[in-house]
Amino acid sequence: MSLDGEYAPSPSQWVRDQVALYESSGGQKGNTLADTGLPVVIVTTRGNKTGKIRKTPLMRVEYDGDYLLVASKGGAPKHPVWYYNLQADPSNVEVQDGPDRFPVTVRELDGAERATWWQRAVAAFPPYAEYQEKTQRRIPIFLATREG
Ligand code: F42
C-alpha cells in the first residue's frame, strides 16, 4: 500500500498550518510545539473511511530509533480519529522527523512494554501525565518502527 492520493488537511487551522510549514520547510520550521520548543513529528496515515491522506503532528517521543505515537488529544474523552487509521492499516504509516521522512509499522502497546514507553513519553512531554489524569479512557500508545 502507498500513501499517495488526495491530502485532506486537518479541520483545525493551527494543525494544518503546522503541517504546511513543517513540510514546506523540509522539517526545518514548524517542528516544535508553539511556545514549548519541544520537538514535533508529522505522522501520515490513510483515512480508514475516506481513503484520503491525513497528516497529524504529534510530540516527538523517540528512543533507540523507534518512535512512540501518543493518542492523547489533550485528554479529551474520545480517542483522536487518527487512532482508527493506525488500527486499520498499521503497516501503511509514515513519520517525518525534521528533514527525515520514512515508512514505519505501528503496533499498540500494552503491559510492561507500555509502562516503559509511557515513562519515556511523559519524560519527553510532561503534560501527557496530566492528560491521562483528565480522562477515563486509557490513552493508546503505538510503537512505530522503521521498515527495512
Ligand atoms: N495530538 C495528540 O493526540 N498527541 C500529541 O502528541 C499531539 C501533539 C501535537 C503537536 C502539535 C500540533 O500542532 C498538534 C498536536 N496534536 C497532538 C494534535 C493532533 O495533530 C491532532 O489534531 C489531534 O490528535 C486530533 O486528531 P484527529 O485525527 O481526531 O483530528 C480531527 C480533528 C480530524 O482531523 N478530523 C477529520 C475531520 O474531517 O473531521 C477526519 C480525520 C480522519 O482521519 N478521518 C478518517 C478518514 O477516513 O478520513 C476517518 C477517521 C474515523 O475513523 O473516524
Side-chain angles (χ1 to χ4, degrees), residues 18 47-50 54 57 59 70 72-73 81-82 85 128:
Q18 176 144 29
N48 74 90
K49 290 178 181 160
T50 65
R54 303 291 185 170
M59 298 318 295
V70 179
S72 51
K73 199 181 174 183
V81 293
W82 56 263
N85 300 345
Y128 280 144

Side-chain angles (χ1 to χ4, degrees), residues 25-126:
S25 68
Q28 303 305 315
K29 290 184 187 156
N31 55 16
T32 59
L33 176 66
D35 50 357
T36 69
L38 294 173
V40 163
V41 296
I42 304 289
V43 178
T44 301
T45 60
R46 183 176 294 286
N48 74 90
K49 290 178 181 160
T50 65
K52 292 180 181 176
I53 299 304
R54 303 291 185 170
K55 294 175 186 279
T56 307
L58 297 177
M59 298 318 295
R60 180 183 187 276
V61 181
E62 182 272 344
Y63 181 82
D64 203 18
D66 291 335
Y67 290 75
L68 193 75
L69 313 180
V70 179
S72 51
K73 199 181 174 183
K78 287 190 171 182
H79 297 329
V81 293
W82 56 263
Y83 169 82
Y84 302 103
N85 300 345
L86 292 187
Q87 272 199 326
D89 201 351
S91 59
N92 195 27
V93 181
E94 273 180 1
V95 169
Q96 181 168 354
D97 182 5
D100 300 326
R101 185 167 171 176
F102 42 89
V104 294
T105 294
V106 303
R107 63 183 169 86
E108 191 169 350
L109 296 185
D110 208 348
E113 194 181 20
R114 174 192 160 87
T116 300
W117 273 97
W118 179 253
Q119 291 308 319
R120 291 174 182 149
V122 173
F125 188 61

Side-chain angles (χ1 to χ4, degrees), residues 124-139:
F125 188 61
Y128 280 144
E130 296 150 35
Y131 296 163
Q132 184 56 84
E133 289 293 310
K134 214 172 121 182
T135 179
Q136 296 296 315
R137 72 183 169 98
R138 189 177 79 156
I139 292 177

